[in-house]
Amino acid sequence: MWEFVNYYFIPGLVLGCIYALGAIGITLTFGILRFANFAHGEIMMSGAYLTWTVMAIAAGAGLTLHPLVAMVPAAFLVILLFLGTDKFFYKPFRKEDTIKVVMASFGMMLIIRSAVQMIWGPNQITFVRGIAKPNATLSEITSNMGLQILMPNKHLFIFAGTIVLVVALGYLLNRTRIGKAMRAVSDSPDLAHVTGINVDKVINATWIVGGICATAAGVFLVMDTQMLETTMGFRMLLPMFAAAILGGIGKPYGAVAGGLIIGLAEELSAYPWIGDAPLLSPGYKTGVAFAIMVIMLIVRPQGLFKGRSF
Amino acid sequence: MEAYVGYFLYLLSLLTVGGIYAIFALGLNVQWGFAGLFNVGIVGFAAVGAYTYALLTTAESTFHLGGFGLPLPIGMFVGMVMSAIVAAFIGLICIRLRADYLAIATIGIAEIIKLILKNETEVTNGPRGINKIPRAWEHFSEERFYSSWPMSWFGTPENWEAFFDKLPNWYWQPLFAATILLIMYIIYRMLERARTAPWGRMMTAIRENEPAARASGKNVTRRRIEAFVIGAAIMGLAGALFAQHLRLIEPTNTFDPAKVTFLTWVMLILGGSGNNRGAILGAFLIWTIWSASELVITGGIDLISNIFSTLDPSFLQTRAGFLRMMLIGILMQVILQRYPEGILPEVRPASPKAEKQDAGSMGETK
């Protein structure tokens, strides 16, 4: 039992949190700007690289920063990157066919990735080296209760960070004017426009929210795997889209739920449910997201939370 | 003399790879240009074609499944069929949905294919890939070819060896390039015919106004799946040719989506989607730019490392490849924003009857 919780369930939840944060940005862009932003994974990856750079600069000044602290200035840069790409590469297509923007986002993906590869080089780097020890207090408390939970601090940080961001997002969407406007545009852009909502402002807000969540997702992923490399954005793209579709396009909470489900499903698929062998060879883990997505598209294209279906 | 042979061979390699990419672009044109299907899994279909071809035609090997040593045309044909089967599977599910979903699904299928190629080590030799893939014309000088039926009729092995010893060692290059260009031309003719036939006109109608096409009794879903499968089969064939050109294929670097998929997309958009000639023109143009940029950048690296002699040249070399990729991305953005029609814009196919009736008055060609 403790093996299941420690080696399958908790890593699944951690991965789910990362997918969830990435999927929030995708689902918001899909809902508000009405296109699938394929550059999202690369933006996430560049956020992680920027965080690494902030940490490196601070280390050069004799300061050791935690990735979560270094993430804050990096998120600002990512937001600037998002707004810049929107202004120069997505805005010209706003009145045209959606498919042109999707293609432009593919070009963007290529540009961002090769820019990152040119600046930081193709080699793998990492935030912190060494093996993460499980949190001593937590394992002591839980072992007294009969179930020893081994959780490194980084996982606790990831959970806490995800909860904070999701709660903040909930507050933004339900309580603030701009959040309500975002939901209105997502539900019906024409109606929102008629009622006098400034669509450009809403679009900028979408990029800002997406940028913050994407940076967090990228940094959390690197904290979890201790590996920063240029293809990680592309690897995350499919599970994040699967999470957004599973939750329902345009539904941020759906994206969170979808992300958690996909993350858990990927990890649990390798658990030996029947006999001793893993149910699915771990090499095929990323295929699980695709399978869930395809099943969802056949069975219920609007997703779990009644998002938009096309 | 030697130098001229070098230039000639460089030109031939440009034609060879340009031709392979032109076949990719023609396949994509059926899907995107004709039917408006947004396929970004080109690399997956290429991999299916390439691996099927490689497994069927290589000599027997202990590293991977079979190595059946079948004749090359059979390998290419089965590659096409396998690729079409994969496309039919994905088409049946996702073709009704909006274009973005098809894009996500095709990326997914390309990733799954990559996972299978990486993990099924007994079948595909995993990340190490398959080598010694026979190339059309070149393998005629190999022993297993001239000692097998029907070639064994024509002469003794010694005669064959003597014959091939007389030829220069690049004898196969013009033949291989010519074969690829011939295949490209055949596909081009077939697609031109399909485009002006009722089928192609129906495709245009479906793409431009789906409700109207549906209302006039066209089976939209079925036609779209047809276009998707035909395009995928052409991509599978191009993948098989790609394997012949490379001789060694492996899952990760050979089938890098950034290269195959995006180069093909940029080629089709630049040449003009919907126009078969445009697809071919775009393919040769972009491939020439792509390979010329390598020369330019190599020259640039030499220049910079001469000026800044303290700089480590390997640093520049590893970064230069990414610069080329970035230029392709920027080129894509520029074409999309400034020249969305491409160099050769689409010419609407008109029925021959309509042309006669409206001669002079309507100008149906555009």
Side-chain angles (χ1 to χ4, degrees):
Chain A
M1 178 64 191
W2 66 271
E3 194 184 338
F4 173 77
V5 171
N6 284 329
Y7 297 134
Y8 294 92
F9 190 71
I10 290 174
L13 274 185
V14 169
L15 198 62
C17 287
I18 296 163
Y19 288 158
L21 287 175
I24 287 172
I26 284 184
T27 207
L28 283 176
T29 339
F30 217 145
I32 289 168
L33 285 119
R34 304 201 169 235
F35 78 95
N37 184 10
F38 283 88
H40 200 84
E42 312 305 311
I43 298 228
M44 209 173 110
M45 179 262 290
S46 56
Y49 271 93
L50 286 168
T51 307
W52 181 84
T53 313
V54 171
M55 283 171 69
I57 292 170
L63 214 67
T64 319
L65 284 187
H66 194 270
L68 289 182
V69 182
M71 200 171 91
V72 177
F76 275 107
L77 294 173
V78 169
I79 289 168
L80 287 182
L81 181 67
F82 251 137
L83 294 176
T85 52
D86 180 58
K87 181 151 185 256
F88 293 109
F89 296 108
Y90 299 155
K91 214 168 183 181
F93 302 109
R94 207 149 282 165
K95 295 271 179 282
E96 295 202 39
D97 264 355
T98 339
I99 204 73
K100 288 237 172 92
V101 206
V102 181
M103 264 190 221
S105 81
F106 267 104
M108 215 50 239
M109 179 167 124
L110 219 56
I111 294 174
I112 295 174
R113 192 194 306 170
S114 36
V116 167
Q117 283 167 333
M118 265 177 35
I119 297 168
W120 283 281
N123 296 336
Q124 287 181 3
I125 43 183
T126 178
F127 288 160
V128 252
R129 285 174 198 288
I131 301 161
K133 277 196 202 115
N135 188 308
T137 337
L138 186 75
S139 61
E140 200 179 321
I141 293 172
T142 49
S143 68
N144 289 341
M145 285 152 65
L147 177 76
Q148 193 180 29
I149 290 179
L150 303 169
M151 240 169 113
N153 283 337
K154 60 182 186 185
H155 286 177
L156 292 172
F157 279 127
I158 293 173
F159 284 141
T162 309
I163 291 167
V164 167
L165 279 173
V166 171
V167 169
L169 181 75
Y171 178 79
L172 179 87
L173 289 176
N174 293 323
R175 296 295 154 100
T176 59
R177 279 185 70 85
I178 188 75
K180 284 177 189 165
M182 279 166 80
R183 285 195 300 157
V185 175
S186 177
D187 281 344
S188 164
D190 293 335
L191 198 61
H193 196 70
V194 167
T195 47
I197 288 171
N198 186 345
V199 178
D200 277 341
K201 225 174 172 180
V202 168
I203 289 174
N204 282 347
T206 311
W207 291 125
I208 291 170
V209 173
I212 293 171
C213 290
T215 319
V219 172
F220 289 169
L221 180 67
V222 179
M223 278 168 71
D224 184 30
T225 57
Q226 299 203 345
M227 189 170 76
L228 183 52
E229 38 133 15
T230 47
T231 54
M232 73 181 215
F234 191 72
R235 271 195 288 119
M236 300 296 284
L237 197 63
L238 190 67
M240 291 191 310
F241 268 112
I245 289 174
L246 181 62
I249 293 297
K251 302 282 166 190
Y253 295 119
V256 175
L260 289 174
I261 293 172
I262 299 270
L264 278 175
E266 280 193 7
E267 291 293 333
L268 297 190
S269 68
Y271 185 72
W273 294 103
I274 310 159
D276 285 336
L279 190 66
L280 191 73
S281 153
Y284 286 112
K285 252 199 289 196
T286 39
V288 175
F290 179 73
I292 294 176
M293 189 179 84
V294 166
I295 292 168
M296 208 61 198
L297 285 177
I298 300 171
V299 180
R300 202 179 147 99
Q302 73 271 34
L304 294 175
F305 285 66
K306 286 226 169 78
R308 210 172 313 105
S309 71
F310 297 99
Chain B
M1 185 62 205
E2 284 291 306
Y4 288 117
V5 171
Y7 289 131
F8 177 60
L9 293 183
Y10 186 69
L11 181 73
L12 279 181
S13 81
L14 276 185
L15 283 178
T16 309
V17 189
I20 292 171
Y21 272 102
I23 298 173
F24 274 125
L26 283 172
L28 184 62
N29 195 24
V30 180
Q31 296 180 340
W32 170 246
F34 288 13
L37 299 168
F38 194 40
N39 175 10
V40 273
I42 298 170
V43 77
F45 298 111
V48 169
Y51 264 89
T52 313
Y53 172 83
L55 289 177
L56 289 180
T57 57
T58 44
E60 202 169 323
S61 154
T62 49
F63 297 113
H64 53 82
L65 177 80
F68 296 102
L70 291 176
L72 311 195
I74 293 181
M76 288 198 248
F77 181 72
V78 180
M80 276 176 91
V81 172
M82 289 300 288
S83 178
I85 290 170
V86 173
F89 163 73
I90 196 79
L92 285 173
I93 297 165
C94 291
I95 222 100
R96 284 170 294 113
L97 300 161
R98 219 183 72 163
D100 311 26
Y101 283 108
L102 187 66
I104 300 165
T106 46
I107 282 195
I109 204 93
E111 287 297 300
I112 299 274
I113 289 168
K114 192 179 276 184
L115 282 183
I116 293 174
L117 296 179
K118 261 189 199 166
N119 285 306
E120 297 299 321
T121 320
E122 297 92 56
V123 182
T124 61
N125 200 19
R128 278 189 295 280
I130 299 178
N131 64 359
K132 293 187 186 158
I133 298 167
R135 204 185 253 159
W137 306 104
E138 191 186 17
H139 78 297
F140 282 173
S141 59
E142 285 173 15
E143 189 186 345
R144 84 178 159 90
F145 181 74
Y146 56 67
S147 58
S148 68
W149 185 82
M151 288 303 149
S152 52
W153 285 11
F154 293 107
T156 55
E158 291 75 31
N159 279 349
W160 274 93
E161 267 175 37
F163 176 66
F164 281 104
D165 281 346
K166 265 190 291 181
L167 296 175
N169 59 359
W170 46 266
Y171 78 93
W172 52 271
Q173 284 206 12
L175 295 171
F176 187 52
T179 312
I180 285 174
L181 294 181
L182 181 71
I183 292 174
M184 184 194 84
Y185 183 70
I186 292 169
I187 291 174
Y188 164 73
R189 290 299 303 196
M190 284 163 77
L191 291 184
E192 269 304 291
R193 209 184 142 80
R195 192 177 68 89
T196 47
W199 187 83
R201 301 205 297 272
M202 187 163 56
M203 291 319 298
T204 318
I206 289 171
R207 191 192 60 204
E208 299 286 308
N209 192 339
E210 197 192 312
R214 211 183 278 278
S216 53
K218 305 297 179 199
N219 191 343
V220 173
T221 313
R222 195 190 144 85
R223 299 291 162 242
R224 281 197 168 153
I225 294 176
E226 274 173 17
F228 195 63
V229 169
I230 292 172
I234 296 173
M235 287 171 190
L237 176 64
L241 294 171
F242 203 47
Q244 295 185 33
H245 166 73
L246 294 169
R247 308 211 71 188
L248 163 71
I249 53 174
E250 48 80 49
T252 322
N253 289 325
T254 316
F255 299 107
D256 178 11
K259 265 185 206 151
V260 182
T261 303
F262 291 108
L263 272 180
T264 311
W265 266 103
V266 175
M267 284 163 180
L268 184 64
I269 300 173
L270 176 78
S273 56
N275 190 325
N276 289 321
R277 264 178 235 181
I280 295 175
L281 175 74
F284 282 108
L285 207 61
I286 292 286
W287 183 253
T288 312
I289 294 173
W290 174 257
S291 33
S293 74
E294 191 174 11
L295 300 179
V296 171
I297 286 176
T298 320
I301 289 173
D302 284 347
L303 193 71
I304 293 174
S305 54
N306 278 338
I307 299 170
F308 306 100
S309 50
T310 50
L311 212 62
D312 182 14
S314 67
F315 174 82
L316 286 171
Q317 268 155 15
T318 50
R319 305 293 159 96
F322 305 126
L323 182 68
R324 296 166 75 198
M325 223 50 247
M326 193 162 164
L327 291 178
I328 287 293
I330 292 172
L331 192 61
M332 188 157 174
Q333 295 285 4
V334 170
I335 298 165
L336 273 177
Q337 288 191 12
R338 296 290 157 88
Y339 315 99
E341 294 274 284
I343 300 173
L344 298 174
E346 184 180 4
V347 180
R348 293 287 156 75
S351 119
K353 280 181 203 157
E355 229 159 43
K356 247 179 234 164
Q357 281 164 7
D358 306 332
S361 61
M362 288 282 285
E364 263 284 305
T365 43
K366 171 67 189 150

